[in-house]
C-alpha cells in the first residue's frame, strides 16, 4: 500500500528563491514542491504540500494529519525550529513519525540556530543538502515510516 506523506514548510519558506540566495539557493517553494511530488511518485507514495507563515496554521495542519491517514511527515519548520515548543507538542501529540529538513546547515550558522526543539523527536534530521534534502527525506519516509 502506498505511503501517504505530508510535506510541511514553515515561516518564510514562501520566500525561497529570493530570500538570502547565498544561504538558501535560487530554488523557489514551487520548485521544492515539484521536487517533492516527483520524489513521492518515484518512491510509490503520495504527498500533500503545505506552507504557512503562521504557527497555529502549522499546528492545525499537523493535527488534521492524524485523521487523514498520514503515514509520515517531512517538515522544514524554518525559524520555528529554534523557538516553538507548541510545534514540538503538536508533533508529539499526533505521534506521526517525521523527518526534519533544513536547506542550510544550521550548525554552521548563528549559535541560536544550533538548537532544535524537534530533533530529538524526529526519526531523522537532514540539513545542509539544499533542496535535495527534501528528496532524501521523502525517499526515506516512503520506505521506512
Amino acid at each position: 500500500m502506498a505511503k501517504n506523506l505530508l510535506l510541511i514548510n514553515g515561516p518564510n519558506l514562501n520566500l525561497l528563491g529570493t530570500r538570502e540566495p547565498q544561504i538558501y539557493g535560487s530554488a523557489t517553494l514551487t520548485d521544492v514542491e515539484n521536487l517533492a511530488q516527483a520524489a513521492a511518485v518515484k518512491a510509490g507514495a503520495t504527498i500533500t504540500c503545505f506552507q504557512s507563515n503562521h504557527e497555529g496554521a502549522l499546528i492545525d495542519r499537523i493535527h488534521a494529519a492524524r485523521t487523514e491517514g498520514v503515514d509520515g511527515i517531512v517538515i522544514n519548520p524554518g525559524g520555528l525550529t529554534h523557538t516553538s515548543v507548541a510545534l514540538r507538542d503538536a508533533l508529539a501529540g499526533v505521534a506521526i513519525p517525521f523527518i526534519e529538513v533544513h536547506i542550510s546547515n544550521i550548525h554552521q550558522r548563528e549559535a541560536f540556530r544550533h538548537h532544535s526543539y524537534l530533533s530529538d523527536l524526529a526519526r531523522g534530521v537532514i540539513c545542509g543538502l539544499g533542496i535535495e534534502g527534501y528528496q532524501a527525506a521523502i525517499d526515506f519516509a516512503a520506505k521506512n515510516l
Side-chain angles (χ1 to χ4, degrees):
M1 184 170 186
K3 295 286 175 94
N4 182 18
L5 304 177
L6 173 62
L7 171 61
I8 296 177
N9 279 291
N12 300 310
L13 290 162
N14 58 303
L15 298 177
L16 286 175
T18 60
R19 176 188 178 210
E20 301 176 279
Q22 71 281 8
I23 295 173
Y24 299 106
S26 60
T28 66
L29 181 60
T30 299
D31 295 332
V32 169
E33 291 176 347
N34 289 339
L35 179 145
Q37 291 291 346
V41 167
K42 184 177 179 184
T46 61
I47 194 161
T48 302
C49 301
F50 180 78
Q51 187 277 329
S52 180
N53 294 317
H54 304 280
E55 184 177 33
L58 297 170
I59 291 167
D60 289 343
R61 187 65 189 91
I62 291 166
H63 289 180
R66 184 169 64 174
T67 61
E68 296 171 346
V70 170
D71 299 303
I73 297 173
V74 173
I75 184 168
N76 182 340
L80 294 174
T81 304
H82 323 291
T83 63
S84 183
V85 173
L87 191 59
R88 174 195 173 85
D89 289 348
L91 288 162
V94 299
I96 297 170
F98 70 94
I99 308 295
E100 180 181 344
V101 175
H102 300 281
I103 294 169
S104 68
N105 183 343
I106 61 174
H107 303 290
Q108 291 179 333
R109 300 190 58 201
E110 305 93 339
F112 70 86
R113 294 189 195 274
H114 298 178
H115 179 263
S116 167
Y117 279 97
L118 310 180
S119 293
D120 66 315
L121 297 178
R123 281 288 304 273
V125 178
I126 299 171
C127 69
L129 300 182
I131 68 168
E132 290 82 9
Y134 287 95
Q135 186 170 346
I138 291 163
D139 187 52
F140 179 87
K143 294 176 183 169
N144 298 290
L145 298 184

